[in-house]
mmCIF file of all heavy atoms in Angstrom:
data_model
loop_
_atom_site.group_PDB
_atom_site.id
_atom_site.type_symbol
_atom_site.label_atom_id
_atom_site.label_comp_id
_atom_site.label_asym_id
_atom_site.label_seq_id
_atom_site.Cartn_x
_atom_site.Cartn_y
_atom_site.Cartn_z
ATOM 1 N N VAL A 314 97.862 157.241 181.479
ATOM 2 C CA VAL A 314 98.756 156.388 182.256
ATOM 3 C C VAL A 314 100.152 156.488 181.633
ATOM 4 O O VAL A 314 100.362 156.092 180.481
ATOM 5 C CB VAL A 314 98.278 154.920 182.241
ATOM 6 C CG1 VAL A 314 99.258 154.026 183.007
ATOM 7 C CG2 VAL A 314 96.874 154.823 182.831
ATOM 8 N N VAL A 315 101.087 157.057 182.399
ATOM 9 C CA VAL A 315 102.453 157.262 181.909
ATOM 10 C C VAL A 315 103.359 156.256 182.614
ATOM 11 O O VAL A 315 103.327 156.164 183.849
ATOM 12 C CB VAL A 315 102.912 158.708 182.217
ATOM 13 C CG1 VAL A 315 104.349 158.919 181.751
ATOM 14 C CG2 VAL A 315 101.976 159.709 181.550
ATOM 15 N N GLY A 316 104.123 155.513 181.849
ATOM 16 C CA GLY A 316 104.983 154.526 182.489
ATOM 17 C C GLY A 316 105.781 153.737 181.473
ATOM 18 O O GLY A 316 105.931 154.167 180.316
ATOM 19 N N ASN A 317 106.267 152.571 181.925
ATOM 20 C CA ASN A 317 107.060 151.727 181.033
ATOM 21 C C ASN A 317 106.220 151.341 179.806
ATOM 22 O O ASN A 317 105.153 150.749 179.946
ATOM 23 C CB ASN A 317 107.522 150.480 181.801
ATOM 24 C CG ASN A 317 108.553 149.700 181.013
ATOM 25 O OD1 ASN A 317 108.472 149.618 179.791
ATOM 26 N ND2 ASN A 317 109.527 149.142 181.699
ATOM 27 N N PRO A 318 106.690 151.669 178.608
ATOM 28 C CA PRO A 318 105.838 151.520 177.426
ATOM 29 C C PRO A 318 105.539 150.075 177.026
ATOM 30 O O PRO A 318 104.615 149.847 176.251
ATOM 31 C CB PRO A 318 106.637 152.228 176.330
ATOM 32 C CG PRO A 318 108.050 152.174 176.790
ATOM 33 C CD PRO A 318 107.996 152.255 178.279
ATOM 34 N N VAL A 319 106.304 149.120 177.529
ATOM 35 C CA VAL A 319 105.995 147.737 177.139
ATOM 36 C C VAL A 319 104.834 147.161 177.963
ATOM 37 O O VAL A 319 104.329 146.095 177.644
ATOM 38 C CB VAL A 319 107.225 146.791 177.218
ATOM 39 C CG1 VAL A 319 108.323 147.249 176.288
ATOM 40 C CG2 VAL A 319 107.736 146.651 178.633
ATOM 41 N N GLN A 320 104.407 147.869 179.013
ATOM 42 C CA GLN A 320 103.263 147.376 179.788
ATOM 43 C C GLN A 320 101.953 147.756 179.108
ATOM 44 O O GLN A 320 101.784 148.891 178.657
ATOM 45 C CB GLN A 320 103.310 147.943 181.215
ATOM 46 C CG GLN A 320 104.334 147.194 182.067
ATOM 47 C CD GLN A 320 104.819 147.971 183.261
ATOM 48 O OE1 GLN A 320 104.277 149.017 183.604
ATOM 49 N NE2 GLN A 320 105.878 147.458 183.872
ATOM 50 N N ALA A 321 101.047 146.798 179.069
ATOM 51 C CA ALA A 321 99.836 146.965 178.257
ATOM 52 C C ALA A 321 98.988 148.156 178.700
ATOM 53 O O ALA A 321 98.336 148.804 177.879
ATOM 54 C CB ALA A 321 99.014 145.682 178.305
ATOM 55 N N ALA A 322 98.997 148.500 179.996
ATOM 56 C CA ALA A 322 98.126 149.573 180.483
ATOM 57 C C ALA A 322 98.674 150.964 180.160
ATOM 58 O O ALA A 322 97.956 151.964 180.291
ATOM 59 C CB ALA A 322 97.959 149.439 181.993
ATOM 60 N N THR A 323 99.924 151.037 179.720
ATOM 61 C CA THR A 323 100.560 152.350 179.526
ATOM 62 C C THR A 323 100.024 153.061 178.283
ATOM 63 O O THR A 323 99.927 152.471 177.214
ATOM 64 C CB THR A 323 102.097 152.168 179.404
ATOM 65 O OG1 THR A 323 102.570 151.599 180.622
ATOM 66 C CG2 THR A 323 102.801 153.476 179.142
ATOM 67 N N HIS A 324 99.664 154.336 178.464
ATOM 68 C CA HIS A 324 99.255 155.166 177.313
ATOM 69 C C HIS A 324 100.439 155.915 176.720
ATOM 70 O O HIS A 324 100.453 156.229 175.546
ATOM 71 C CB HIS A 324 98.232 156.219 177.741
ATOM 72 C CG HIS A 324 96.942 155.643 178.226
ATOM 73 N ND1 HIS A 324 96.354 156.023 179.407
ATOM 74 C CD2 HIS A 324 96.132 154.707 177.685
ATOM 75 C CE1 HIS A 324 95.235 155.350 179.575
ATOM 76 N NE2 HIS A 324 95.071 154.545 178.547
ATOM 77 N N MET A 325 101.388 156.283 177.580
ATOM 78 C CA MET A 325 102.495 157.115 177.096
ATOM 79 C C MET A 325 103.783 156.754 177.818
ATOM 80 O O MET A 325 103.797 156.640 179.046
ATOM 81 C CB MET A 325 102.143 158.593 177.332
ATOM 82 C CG MET A 325 103.004 159.555 176.552
ATOM 83 S SD MET A 325 102.640 161.285 176.954
ATOM 84 C CE MET A 325 103.879 161.584 178.206
ATOM 85 N N GLY A 326 104.851 156.565 177.063
ATOM 86 C CA GLY A 326 106.151 156.210 177.625
ATOM 87 C C GLY A 326 107.024 157.440 177.855
ATOM 88 O O GLY A 326 106.534 158.569 177.862
#
Side-chain angles (χ1 to χ4, degrees):
V314 177
V315 178
N317 191 324
V319 299
Q320 282 158 10
T323 299
H324 296 130
M325 196 184 95

